[in-house]
Structure formats: structure tokens, C-alpha cells
Amino acid sequence: MTNTKKGFKVPRIPGDLIIYPMVIGVILNSFIPQFLNMGGFLTAIKGGTAALVGIFLFFLGASLDIKSTPQAVKRGGIVIITKVLASVGLGLLVAFVFKDNFLGLSSLAIIGGVSVANNALYSGITAEYGTDAEKGAVGITILSVGPIVTMIALSSAGLASISIWSIIGCILPLALGVILGAAFPYLKEILSVCYPGCIIVVGFALGANMSFAQLFQGGVQGILLGIISSVIIGAITIIVDKATGGSGVAGAAISSNAASGVANPAALAAVDPAYAAIAPIATSQIAASVILTAFLAPLITGWVHKRNLKKQANTNAMGRKVAA
């Protein structure tokens, strides 16, 4: 007799590789923190967030493929530079004008979350709506991953006390991974497979240092952060994309936030203890934003694509009338 009974399956959600393990860590730390503090390797994982993020960057660097056509390089460079500059500008505005608290959002959450795009989502969106150049642009947009942008922005503005050597030390794991991946194809293949698993462990370690109170605190502000990222910053990237000869599709597709951005606050707190208090809150806000922007970015890109098709149809119709 065949057993047709189906087991329970956990539903997939955007960013689930890091979000589900993070939630498990939050549950354990909220209700049985002594379990995480029993000692041994488990406690070492909880206290080793900085080392885990470094390993994560190394594996990520090895997985990158930065070869692309000139048009893809141009389009990717334009949209990701625009996104980074807009997020940094907004973050610094919040820091200096609103005393680092805009409706509960800090410069750490804004820069750490908005500056990094979900490149897997970007690839999926442009595969449906984009040109070859827009599809290949992911080879450039993926270079914004990691906490480096956040560190440089906050340190340069005098908001964080981070030495140049700490910043270099944060860049080196990513750079080393890129070099090894490019020089040794077999290492690139092996290390690329390690990348998703490392995300899971990083997510658990982050959650193990958070509580439900902090997670819920990030809810409403996380939704606001997602709207800012996809609607406000997204509008800027779309406008610049079109102004520089693009269709606006790449500018819209880059309006999401990456799950890897969830690790940025912890990475910054590791090199500047002054951020240790707000890092968990910023982490939960970015996590909520990751989920929301994963739904908003495809909708906005679809809207831009339909407008382009409608405009092209109207242009063709006018051309036929003139010819007649």
C-alpha cells in the first residue's frame, strides 16, 4: 500500500535562506538562551558573527563573475552607482538632519539595507523584461555586496570610528575570493556551492543575538524602509537609467534589497562597538525590507515595461499615420 500522506513543507519566501535560520536563532535566544550559552561550538557560532561574515564574503567573492560586455558594464555601473549614492545621501541626511532617527530608521539601516540589491532577483526580472545588456549588468551590480559601502560611508562622514585598516580587512576576504575564483575555475565551482550554506549559518548567528522584541520592533520601520528603497530610491534609479539611454527596466529591477544586507549591521558593530546597541534593530528592519522589496521590485519593473511597450506602440501608430 502506497503512502500518499504528504508531509508539511515550509513555504519558500524571498530571502528565506537567511531569514528562516535567523528566526530559529531568535526563538532560541528569546525562550531558552541558556541553550545557546552552554559552551562548545554552538556558543562559538553565536559569538562568531564577525568571523562568519568574513567567510561569507570570501565564498561570495569566489562566486562572482565580473566578465560582461561593455554595454552591460555601462548599464550595471549606472544603476548600481546611482542606487548606492542615493542610499548614502539619504542615510547621511537622516544622520545629520534628523539626528539619526527618521521615524525609527537609522542611517545604518538605510545605507546598510538599501545600498545592496538582490542580484538573484534582478537576474530573474531582467530575464523576463530586459535586454541582453540589462541582463548582463548583474555582473557589475553584484559588486556592491557586503558591508564595505556602509563602512566607508559612515566612516567618511565621521559617524563611525573605523580605521582604514579595518575597512581594508573587510574588503580582503571578498577580494581574495574574487582572485581565487578567477584564477582557479575548479575552486570557483567548489566555493560557489559553499555560499548558500554560509548564508544559513550567518542567519542563525544573527538571530541568536536577537530577541522577539527587537524583531517586532523592526516590523513597521522595515516596511517603511522597503517602500523607501523600491519606490523613492527606485524612482531615482529609473529616472537616471532612462536619462542615460536605458529603458528604465534595469533601474526598476535594482530597487530590491538583498538578504545579504541583513548581515551589514553586525559587521559594522564588529569594527565599531558604538553600533552594537542599534545593530539588532537595524538587522530586523532590513530583514523586513528584504521581503517587501522582493515583491515590489518585480511589480514596479513590470509597470515600467508595460509603459515602454505602450509608448512604443503609440510611436509606431503615429509613424504609420504620417506615412499614410
Side-chain angles (χ1 to χ4, degrees), residues 30 57 113 132 273 302:
S30 297
L57 290 175
D132 288 342

Side-chain angles (χ1 to χ4, degrees), residues 18 36 59 103 106 110 182 186 192 211 215 233 266 276 279 288 293:
I18 197 168
L36 295 172
F59 289 152
L103 301 178
S106 64
I110 294 173
Y186 75 94
S192 297
S211 66
L215 194 62
I233 304 298
T293 58

Side-chain angles (χ1 to χ4, degrees), residues 185-205:
Y186 75 94
L187 281 181
K188 181 183 182 69
E189 183 178 350
I190 294 171
L191 295 176
S192 297
V193 175
C194 299
Y195 169 56
C198 190
I199 292 178
I200 295 173
V201 179
V202 170
F204 175 79

Side-chain angles (χ1 to χ4, degrees), residues 41-288:
F41 297 127
L42 180 62
T43 303
I45 291 175
K46 177 183 178 181
T49 306
L52 291 171
V53 171
I55 297 170
F56 158 74
L57 290 175
F58 174 71
F59 289 152
L60 179 62
S63 70
L64 298 183
D65 185 3
I66 59 176
K67 295 179 181 179
S68 191
T69 63
Q71 283 300 316
V73 170
K74 175 185 175 182
R75 192 54 42 206
I78 287 172
V79 296
I80 197 59
I81 290 173
T82 301
K83 180 180 176 69
V84 168
L85 291 179
S87 63
V88 170
L90 181 59
L92 296 183
L93 177 69
V94 168
F96 290 111
V97 177
F98 296 95
K99 297 181 180 180
D100 214 22
N101 188 340
F102 176 70
L103 301 178
L105 292 176
S106 64
S107 57
L108 175 59
I110 294 173
I111 299 175
V114 179
S115 64
V116 188
N118 186 332
N119 290 286
L121 183 64
Y122 175 90
S123 296
I125 296 173
T126 54
E128 181 175 357
Y129 299 119
T131 62
D132 288 342
E134 289 166 338
K135 295 173 186 176
V138 71
I140 301 301
T141 62
I142 201 169
L143 296 178
S144 72
V145 297
I148 292 90
V149 169
T150 308
M151 290 182 179
I152 293 176
L154 294 179
S155 182
S156 300
L159 297 171
S161 179
I162 306 173
S163 71
I164 184 64
W165 296 112
S166 293
I167 293 176
I168 293 175
C170 290
I171 296 174
L172 281 178
L174 182 69
L176 182 59
V178 171
I179 293 171
L180 288 178
F184 303 97
Y186 75 94
L187 281 181
K188 181 183 182 69
E189 183 178 350
I190 294 171
L191 295 176
S192 297
V193 175
C194 299
Y195 169 56
C198 190
I199 292 178
I200 295 173
V201 179
V202 170
F204 175 79
L206 291 172
N209 289 277
M210 297 169 58
S211 66
F212 270 118
Q214 293 168 331
L215 194 62
F216 289 134
Q217 188 173 354
V220 175
Q221 287 81 9
I223 292 173
L224 175 62
L225 184 63
I227 293 173
I228 289 174
S229 181
S230 287
V231 179
I232 298 178
I233 304 298
I236 295 173
T237 54
I238 291 170
I239 291 171
V240 173
D241 185 16
K242 287 191 171 185
T244 54
S247 67
V249 167
I254 205 71
S255 65
S256 64
N257 294 341
S260 60
V262 175
N264 286 349
L268 188 66
V271 294
D272 187 352
Y275 283 91
I278 66 170
I281 297 174
T283 297
S284 61
Q285 291 170 346
I286 294 174

